[in-house]
Structures are given as C-alpha cells and as structure tokens.
Amino acid sequence: MIHPDIESVLLSEEEVQSRIRELGAEISRDYEGRSVLLVAVLRGAALFIADLARDITVPVELDFMAVSSYGSSTKSSGVVRILKDLDEQIEDRDVLVVEDILDTGLTLKYLLKNLASRKPASLEVVTLLSKEGKRRVPITCKYVGFDVPDEFVVGYGLDFAEKYRNLPYIGVLKPSAYQD
Ligand code: PRP
C-alpha cells in the first residue's frame, strides 16, 4: 500500500534492503580483522545505520552527530554547526560516516574536514543515496547505495517537514504534498 502523498516508488523496500545487505557484505570484507566505528549524521541516517549495522559482520560501534545550518543559506554557504558531537574519541579508529543522502556535498565536506582533524586511522563514507548531478564540491564516497535523479525523494529516513521518514521505501513526493 503506497502512501497517498507518494507519486511513485523509486526504490522498493526489497530493493533498499537488498542493496544494504550488499553494502554490509562489502564493508565486512573491506574491514576484515578490524572493527569499524559507524558515525551517522542525524536524523535521516538513523534508519540506514540501524539496518546497515546488522548486515556488517566485523565488530561495530555506533556513534551519532547532529548538525544544523546557519539559517536557510547553509546549503549554499556550506557552513555547518555541530549540535551534537561524537561521544567517542576517533583518533586511530576506523571511522565510516553513514549518510542517507549526498546532495551538494557541502554538509559532508565540512564534516569530513572536521573529523579528519581528529586523526582517525581511516575515514570513509557510505551513503544510501547520491544525487551525483547536484554535487557542488567533490566528495570521495567509497560506498554508494543508489545514484538517484534530482527528484523530491522521501522515505527510509528522508523527510519533508519531518514527515515520511518511516516509509520503508524511497518514493517521489507528489507536488501537491509540498506546494500550497
Ligand atoms: C540531509 C542529509 C545530509 C545532507 C545532504 O540532511 O542527511 O546530511 O542533507 O545534503 P548536502 O549534500 O546538500 O549537504 P538534512 O539537512 O535534510 O537533515 P535530516 O537528516 O535531519 O533530514
């Protein structure tokens, strides 16, 4: 049953879960013999980190960051304010940042610079979705779930006005749901 505000399903629940299992297997191979600290950027990545962690077979620890932009211009300025920092020290740790969507790349560019200054042993990124066409700064993202078109996507953590995060699939929002 599709939510009435959803125009079309871009990625079904099965497609999302199956790709996450593949990513989990790939990450498990790459980090064999090590443990990995997964760092999710709240709030959208909360669902992804929960599923991904269960598909990784090497020892995993979880930590979370919350960031916010300085006003509505943040997306263009790339200035990010840390609202909640990591609880863990990451020096000499293998850190994997978990994102739900990579769009302009501005948020991640700032975060990666910040995290790199703490001298982790390694620092990589896994994102479930990537809008390659929207990138404004180059980002090295080792693990990408799906490259998606520039549509208004919601579900599986992604919101519009805090709604739709709990949909188990990724859907395209009907314009009537976000236009007056
Ligand atoms: C989304 C996403 C990334 C960021 C990506 O978060 O989780 O953090 O936007 O955009 P960028 O590549 O253009 O910087 P959002 O600000 O929507 O917050 P949320 O996760 O709480 O929904």
Side-chain angles (χ1 to χ4, degrees), residues 41-46 67-69 74-76 78 80 98-109 111 127 131 134-137 139 157-160 162 165:
V41 186
L42 297 171
R43 289 175 251 182
V67 299
S68 145
S69 18
T74 301
K75 289 269 168 183
S76 49
V80 170
V98 179
E99 266 287 22
D100 51 344
I101 188 163
L102 185 47
D103 192 339
T104 64
L106 290 167
T107 308
L108 210 47
K109 182 175 184 242
L111 269 181
T127 187
K131 286 183 176 175
K134 291 282 294 288
R135 206 78 82 246
R136 293 184 45 201
V137 286
I139 295 282
L158 298 159
D159 74 310
F160 170 65
E162 295 306 323
R165 290 195 199 271

Side-chain angles (χ1 to χ4, degrees), residues 8-127:
S8 60
V9 174
L10 188 64
L11 297 163
S12 69
E13 179 174 6
E14 292 70 28
E15 288 173 306
V16 169
Q17 293 299 333
S18 151
R19 185 71 185 113
I20 294 172
R21 279 194 294 276
E22 288 177 359
L23 289 169
E26 198 181 336
I27 291 164
S28 302
R29 278 195 302 275
D30 290 352
Y31 288 84
E32 199 175 341
R34 295 182 283 164
S35 64
V36 60
L37 176 64
L38 300 181
V39 170
V41 186
L42 297 171
R43 289 175 251 182
L47 282 76
F48 181 35
I49 194 176
D51 283 338
L52 182 67
R54 284 176 282 189
D55 286 321
I56 295 177
T57 52
V58 299
V60 161
E61 290 182 37
L62 306 180
D63 206 346
F64 298 88
M65 290 184 84
V67 299
S68 145
S69 18
Y70 284 105
S72 56
S73 63
T74 301
K75 289 269 168 183
S76 49
S77 69
V79 179
V80 170
R81 185 162 52 117
I82 295 178
L83 298 179
K84 183 222 169 292
D85 206 344
L86 297 175
D87 291 325
E88 300 297 321
Q89 302 292 321
I90 62 168
E91 188 170 352
D92 296 329
R93 302 289 313 270
D94 289 303
V95 175
L96 180 58
V97 176
V98 179
E99 266 287 22
D100 51 344
I101 188 163
L102 185 47
D103 192 339
T104 64
L106 290 167
T107 308
L108 210 47
K109 182 175 184 242
Y110 177 90
L111 269 181
L112 290 175
K113 191 175 167 213
N114 180 294
L115 293 175
S117 73
R118 307 182 200 189
K119 307 268 185 285
S122 68
L123 180 60
E124 300 290 353
V125 179
V126 54
T127 187

Side-chain angles (χ1 to χ4, degrees), residues 164-177:
Y164 314 113
R165 290 195 199 271
N166 60 327
L167 299 180
Y169 50 85
I170 308 280
V172 178
L173 197 57
K174 284 180 184 168
S176 58

